[in-house]
Amino acid sequence: MGILRASSREIKHGRTAHNMSSSSLRKKSDLKLVSKVQCGLVRNVLANLQEVILGTKLSVLFPAIPLAIIAQCYGFGKPWIFALSLLGLTPLAERVSFLTEQIAYFTGPTVGGLLNATCGNATELIIAIFALCQRKIDVVKYSLLGSVLSNLLLVLGTSLLCGGIANLRSEQKYDRRQADVNSLLLLLALLCNLLPLLFKYAGASAALNADSTLYMSRASSVVMLIAYFSYLVFQLWTHRQLFEARDEDEDTNGSEEEAVIGFWSGFAWLVGMTVIIALLSEYVVGTIEEASDSWGLSVSFLSIILLPIVGNAAEHAGAIIFAFKNKLDISLGVALGSATQISMFVVPLCVVIAWIMGIGMDLNFNLLETGSLALAILVTAFTLQDGTSHYMKGLVLMLCYIVIATCFFVLRTPLNQADISNVIVKPATDAIL
C-alpha cells in the first residue's frame, strides 16, 4: 500500500517546540535506490527503514542497541551493559519524537499534541516504572530530579550562552507569556515537593510523619495531575498561540511538508521503539549499582547527572541549535516544557503508580535534592522575567548546574538510605576519618 499523503499546512503551526528541536537532528533521506525495487512490499519496508533508522544524524548510535542486548545475553560486565544501554536510548528518544510528529500529520494538531505530551518524556517514565518494579525508589526520584535540573540549568543555560555568543550584535527576545505559565507550574510542583519534606520537622513521631508524608504526597500528586491536564487544555485549545513553535525559515520558503511514512507504519514503529526503550531501561535500572561501584561514582550522580544528559542528548542538542539561530522561543519551549512535564506529570504519575502497586513512594526528595530543585526553579524564573537574553544569563545557569553536579559527585549517599541524617552527617564523619 502506498503512503497516504498529509499536508502540513494545518499542523505546521501546531508543532511543539519539542518536535521542532528534534527535527534539527534529522536528515533528508535519498530514496532513489529504494524506488528501483520492483516488489511494492519490499520497497515500502526499505523506505520505512531508511526514514526511521537512517533519517537521523544519530543513526551511528543504533548499533549500541544490539550490542547492549548481546552483552546482557552473554553475561558481559554490568558497566558495559549500562553504558551501551544509555547510548542506545539516545537515538530512540529522538525517533519517538519523529514518529509522534508523523502520526500527527494524520490525526491533526490536537491529537498530535496530546500524543506528544504523553510520549515526550517516555524514556524517563519507562525508566521510573522499571525502577519502581525493582523497589528502587531513590533511583526514580534521582532520575526525575536530574531531568528537571538538566532542562532548567544545563539545556537552558547552554542555549542562552551559545545563542548570546552567536548573536552578540543583536538583542535576543522571546515571548515571556509562555515562560510565565511554565514558571508558575514549576513553582506549584516545588510547593508539592516541599511540604512533605517539612512534615519531618513538624514535631510528631517518626511513624506519624511517615504516614502524613505519604498521604500528603498522594493528595498532592492528584492535584498536580489535575493541574497538568488543565495545562494541556490551556496549551492545546484555549491558548494554543502561546505555545506554537514557528520556524520562520519554513514560513518564508512556503514549502509544505508531507508525512514520509504512513499512519499505521508510524504507529507500529512507535510501539516497537517503546518496547526497545523498555528493554534498555530495564538494563539501565538493573546495572546502575554495578556501574556505580565499578566507576567509583555514586548512584545519585549517575541518576541525577549522567542519565538525563545522555538520555536527552538529542533534544538538548536541538534546543542549542535553535538558540544559535536566534529562535529562543523554541529553545525555551524545549527546556521549560520538558521540565514542566516531568514535574507536573511524570513525578505525580509515578507516585500514583507506586500507590497502585502498593509501594510507599512520596514526594519527599530529601533536603539537599529539594533545595537544589528550589534554587534551580527560582534562578530560572528570575533569569526569564524580562523577555530578553544575553550570554551572561546562560553562563550563570550553567555555573549553577556545575556547582550542583559537583555536590552530587562529592556526596556518597548509599542507595535506599538517602535520608536527611545521611546527607548531613555521613560526609562530615568521612572527613574526620
Side-chain angles (χ1 to χ4, degrees):
M1 183 193 301
I3 297 176
L4 296 174
R5 295 296 177 184
S7 171
S8 70
R9 180 181 298 275
E10 66 169 3
I11 73 165
K12 182 172 66 174
H13 297 308
R15 296 173 68 185
T16 64
H18 184 276
N19 294 129
M20 296 288 291
S21 172
S22 298
S23 67
S24 63
L25 294 175
R26 297 170 195 164
K27 57 183 180 181
K28 192 173 182 180
S29 300
D30 187 0
L31 300 177
K32 291 181 180 179
L33 292 177
V34 176
S35 62
K36 296 179 181 180
V37 177
Q38 298 298 322
C39 180
L41 178 61
V42 175
R43 183 170 62 251
N44 286 335
V45 171
L46 292 177
N48 273 260
L49 286 172
Q50 185 161 351
E51 291 290 354
V52 177
I53 303 299
L54 301 179
T56 173
K57 298 174 184 177
L58 300 174
S59 57
V60 293
L61 296 179
F62 274 115
I65 299 174
L67 289 177
I69 297 174
I70 293 172
Q72 174 70 19
C73 294
Y74 287 91
F76 287 13
K78 296 294 181 67
W80 282 103
I81 300 174
F82 179 80
L84 290 171
S85 300
L86 272 186
L87 290 177
L89 286 172
T90 302
L92 289 175
E94 188 274 332
R95 290 289 83 185
V96 167
S97 175
F98 164 75
L99 292 170
T100 56
E101 183 179 344
Q102 292 298 306
I103 294 175
Y105 281 108
F106 302 94
T107 61
T110 301
V111 177
L114 289 172
L115 186 62
N116 182 71
T118 305
C119 301
N121 293 100
T123 303
E124 290 90 341
L125 180 58
I126 294 173
I127 290 177
I129 291 175
F130 274 102
L132 279 177
C133 293
Q134 300 183 25
R135 299 299 195 273
K136 296 182 179 180
I137 298 177
D138 291 329
V139 173
V140 178
K141 294 180 178 180
Y142 286 150
S143 61
L144 298 180
L145 172 68
S147 295
V148 177
L149 293 178
S150 66
N151 276 288
L152 292 181
L153 299 179
L154 179 63
V155 180
L156 185 58
T158 308
S159 298
L160 297 183
L161 176 62
C162 295
I165 294 175
N167 301 274
L168 281 174
R169 297 184 179 181
S170 60
E171 185 180 29
Q172 290 192 292
K173 295 183 179 181
Y174 52 85
D175 191 345
R176 275 187 54 194
R177 296 174 296 175
Q178 178 183 352
D180 290 343
V181 173
N182 284 286
S183 297
L184 286 173
L185 290 172
L186 288 170
L187 288 172
L188 173 59
L190 175 60
L191 175 65
C192 294
N193 284 304
L194 186 61
L195 290 179
L197 174 64
L198 297 180
F199 267 103
K200 284 197 172 185
Y201 300 97
S205 64
L208 290 177
N209 277 338
D211 291 338
S212 300
T213 300
L214 188 58
Y215 298 149
M216 177 67 189
S217 298
R218 289 170 176 174
S220 298
S221 296
V222 174
V223 171
M224 293 165 73
L225 289 174
I226 293 174
Y228 181 75
F229 288 120
S230 301
Y231 167 68
L232 289 182
V233 173
F234 183 84
Q235 180 184 22
L236 298 176
W237 280 285
T238 62
H239 291 72
R240 179 185 294 175
Q241 69 279 2
L242 298 182
F243 299 89
E244 289 173 351
R246 297 180 181 270
D247 191 344
E248 288 80 3
D249 293 340
E250 292 182 3
D251 293 339
T252 55
N253 291 337
S255 58
E256 289 189 9
E257 296 181 2
E258 293 181 342
V260 295
I261 60 176
F263 173 80
W264 290 111
S265 296
F267 183 78
W269 275 107
L270 183 61
V271 173
M273 293 283 184
T274 304
V275 171
I276 298 175
I277 289 176
L279 180 64
L280 295 184
S281 299
E282 184 179 8
Y283 292 169
V284 167
V285 174
T287 58
I288 188 170
E289 294 178 64
E290 288 80 0
S292 171
D293 295 335
S294 176
W295 296 344
L297 300 172
S298 65
V299 173
S300 60
F301 180 82
L302 291 179
S303 302
I304 295 175
I305 306 302
L306 188 61
L307 261 177
I309 291 178
V310 177
N312 294 321
E315 181 180 326
H316 297 175
I320 296 170
I321 290 173
F322 277 105
F324 269 112
K325 298 178 180 179
N326 200 10
K327 297 172 183 176
L328 284 186
D329 284 324
I330 298 177
S331 299
L332 264 64
V334 171
L336 296 179
S338 184
T340 301
Q341 188 177 57
I342 292 291
S343 300
M344 296 296 296
F345 176 66
V346 180
V347 171
L349 183 62
C350 287
V351 174
V352 173
I353 292 175
W355 186 5
I356 296 173
M357 297 171 62
I359 301 173
M361 177 181 172
D362 56 32
L363 292 175
N364 178 13
F365 279 49
N366 299 316
L367 184 60
L368 179 61
E369 289 82 354
T370 305
S372 300
L373 176 64
L375 291 174
I377 293 175
L378 292 176
V379 169
T380 303
F382 278 112
T383 300
L384 302 177
Q385 63 182 343
D386 63 349
T388 61
S389 176
H390 46 75
Y391 70 88
M392 194 63 197
K393 289 185 176 181
L395 179 61
V396 171
L397 292 178
M398 283 192 63
L399 292 177
C400 289
Y401 186 79
I402 292 173
V403 172
I404 293 176
T406 304
C407 175
F408 288 108
F409 178 80
V410 174
L411 183 66
R412 302 286 177 173
T413 305
L415 194 63
N416 299 323
Q417 298 182 27
D419 60 13
I420 297 175
S421 60
N422 283 335
V423 172
I424 297 176
V425 176
K426 185 170 181 178
T429 305
D430 292 343
I432 294 174
L433 294 175

